Amino acid sequence: MQNDLNATWTMLWAWASSHPPDALAIALTLLAAPVFMLGARLLRKASGPEGNGQFLYLRLRNPLRLAWLLLILRLDAGVLQQRLENWSWVIAPLHLSLIAALTWLAMRLVRSGGELVVLRRGGLQLPEDPNLLDSNLAVRGLLTRARVLTRVLSFLILLVGLAVALMSIPDVRQIGASLLASAGIAGLVVGFAARPVLSNLLAGLQIAMTEPIRINDVLIVEGEWGRVEEITGTYVVFRVWDERRLILPLQWFIEHPFQNWTRSSASLLGTVFLWVDYATPIEQLRDEIKRLCAADPDWDGRLALVHVTDANETALQVRFLVSAANSARAWELRCRIREGMIAYMQRVQPGHLPRRRLQWHELAQTGSSPPPF
């Protein structure tokens, strides 16, 4: 038995020595699966108690398998190129497929890294309750940076992969070199045509770094009130209060002014204006606004003030200034304060609502003309 095994190993060694390319291709093919499985197990074991390696492996499993398979096939084709001259045309498609698989792997790695960063801070989704959307500015900033940077980097990786794939084709590379050598103006034309793409790419990086807007920020854009629903690598989806969507390029937020109501804090001051008669006791209005605010769940306890802000020939303008934790609560609070103060005026002080006064002058019995108005 031992002699048979030794004879077999001797024959295999002799064959491998006389056919080194074939032996190397067979060895690469046989070792491909065990090496991949060993690497995956080491990655999962080295992930630590938080399981980051397990998460990355699950997200990268499919592109890793495809890239590893194409790499082995490409190495086998390169080793056997001289022996398989009739099959040399397979090398170019394998090479392009390998570049595409590596590009997919790199894009998935970037996106998985962004997801992992956000998951470690509490999750990928924000609360749907409108009263909670303006809270936790740090998490929203992290979510914005992660999403914008991953999309920008994915776009750059896609461009690099496409360029490498095109440069790997000799005919395309020669055509590109001849065009650049013979017509330099083509580069200017392409650069001008790609200016919107490049400007949005740079704007995305600037927004991710400086954070003039974040996901779920409350903005006033083009006179519309709404929230930032999504930030992609090229545009921003702005959800208007009536469920319409306004699509704006990233560059717009760099070049145009807009209002951000949640830039550093979500708390806001809300105003309610009423016109009242000159005889209205303002102190009673101050007592009533405090009573209404104390009973309202949307009041944050900071401000409940009354000011006379204007006066004309017929009435006084009174401003009620109240505070709330965010814009959604401020809107509801303002509406209820307006309704409550009108109801109070109608119930307690109906005579102090705005009114016009007319004064009639009786003509004298002598028939003289009326005095001028």
Side-chain angles (χ1 to χ4, degrees):
M1 186 69 177
Q2 185 67 28
N3 294 332
D4 293 339
L5 289 176
N6 293 334
T8 302
W9 280 112
T10 304
M11 292 176 60
L12 290 176
W13 180 257
W15 181 84
S17 302
S18 60
H19 302 82
D22 303 290
L24 181 58
I26 293 174
L28 288 174
T29 304
L30 294 177
L31 292 175
V35 171
F36 182 85
M37 295 175 62
L38 178 61
R41 175 168 292 187
L42 291 177
L43 177 63
R44 291 195 295 267
K45 283 191 174 182
S47 61
E50 297 180 355
N52 297 337
Q54 179 71 16
F55 174 81
L56 290 177
Y57 174 73
L58 292 176
R59 297 290 291 165
L60 303 176
R61 179 173 49 189
N62 292 331
L64 267 176
R65 289 174 177 174
L66 180 61
W68 183 253
L69 175 61
L70 291 173
L71 177 62
I72 296 300
L73 293 177
R74 178 63 181 88
L75 292 176
D76 288 343
V79 170
L80 301 175
Q81 183 175 5
Q82 295 180 354
R83 291 183 175 273
L84 303 176
E85 296 181 358
N86 296 331
W87 293 85
S88 59
W89 59 272
V90 178
I91 295 179
L94 278 177
H95 189 71
L96 293 176
S97 300
L98 179 60
I99 293 175
L102 292 176
T103 303
W104 181 29
L105 176 61
M107 293 174 63
R108 181 66 67 87
L109 178 62
V110 169
R111 182 160 297 185
S112 301
E115 293 177 359
L116 182 61
V117 171
V118 177
L119 280 173
R120 295 181 64 181
R121 293 296 297 271
L124 290 172
Q125 300 298 327
L126 293 167
E128 294 295 335
D129 186 356
N131 293 326
L132 300 176
L133 287 175
D134 293 332
S135 62
N136 207 341
L137 301 180
V139 172
R140 293 196 293 111
L142 175 66
L143 182 61
T144 300
R145 288 194 300 272
R147 288 186 178 178
V148 174
L149 288 177
T150 52
R151 287 169 179 169
V152 170
L153 290 177
S154 297
F155 180 72
L156 290 177
I157 292 172
L158 181 61
L159 287 181
V160 172
L162 181 61
V164 172
L166 292 177
M167 294 300 293
S168 64
I169 304 175
D171 295 338
V172 175
R173 184 169 61 247
Q174 292 174 3
I175 292 174
S178 62
L179 285 176
L180 291 177
S182 60
I185 192 65
L188 296 178
V189 174
V190 173
F192 183 78
R195 185 177 60 86
V197 177
L198 296 177
S199 62
N200 280 321
L201 185 65
L202 296 176
L205 292 175
Q206 185 173 351
I207 288 175
M209 294 295 101
T210 60
E211 294 184 4
I213 60 174
R214 291 178 295 255
I215 294 175
N216 273 338
D217 267 348
V218 177
L219 309 180
I220 302 294
V221 175
E222 298 289 343
E224 300 280 4
W225 183 95
R227 297 181 182 275
V228 178
E229 186 175 54
E230 185 180 3
I231 302 177
T232 70
T234 55
Y235 61 88
V236 174
V237 179
F238 182 68
R239 185 181 66 190
V240 187
W241 66 274
D242 56 1
E243 300 299 330
R244 289 177 293 140
R245 264 60 173 184
L246 188 62
I247 309 299
L248 297 168
L250 288 174
Q251 187 65 21
W252 190 93
F253 291 92
I254 304 300
E255 297 178 349
H256 297 84
F258 58 91
Q259 297 182 36
N260 189 335
W261 288 10
T262 54
R263 177 67 179 88
S264 58
S265 175
S267 59
L268 288 176
L269 300 180
T271 57
V272 175
F273 291 92
L274 290 180
W275 289 91
V276 299
D277 189 72
Y278 269 88
T280 302
I282 304 300
E283 288 300 325
Q284 294 183 15
L285 297 183
R286 289 192 172 96
D287 295 337
E288 180 64 15
I289 190 66
K290 292 178 181 179
R291 187 190 68 82
L292 290 175
C293 288
D296 198 296
D298 288 330
W299 185 55
D300 64 359
R302 291 189 297 129
L303 289 178
L305 303 177
V306 178
H307 297 98
V308 178
T309 55
D310 197 3
N312 56 26
E313 66 276 7
T314 60
L316 299 176
Q317 185 188 64
V318 179
R319 185 189 70 179
F320 302 92
L321 186 64
V322 293
S323 59
N326 54 56
S327 58
R329 292 177 178 270
W331 171 259
E332 297 293 337
L333 177 62
R334 289 172 59 198
C335 293
R336 285 195 291 269
I337 292 299
R338 186 181 294 110
E339 295 171 3
M341 292 307 301
I342 292 176
Y344 170 77
M345 295 288 294
Q346 293 173 341
R347 184 180 68 255
V348 179
Q349 301 179 1
H352 294 156
L353 293 173
R355 56 187 175 180
R356 292 183 179 274
R357 296 178 174 85
L358 296 178
Q359 183 176 1
W360 297 91
H361 295 271
E362 296 183 359
L363 300 180
Q365 296 295 332
T366 60
S368 61
S369 60
F373 288 94

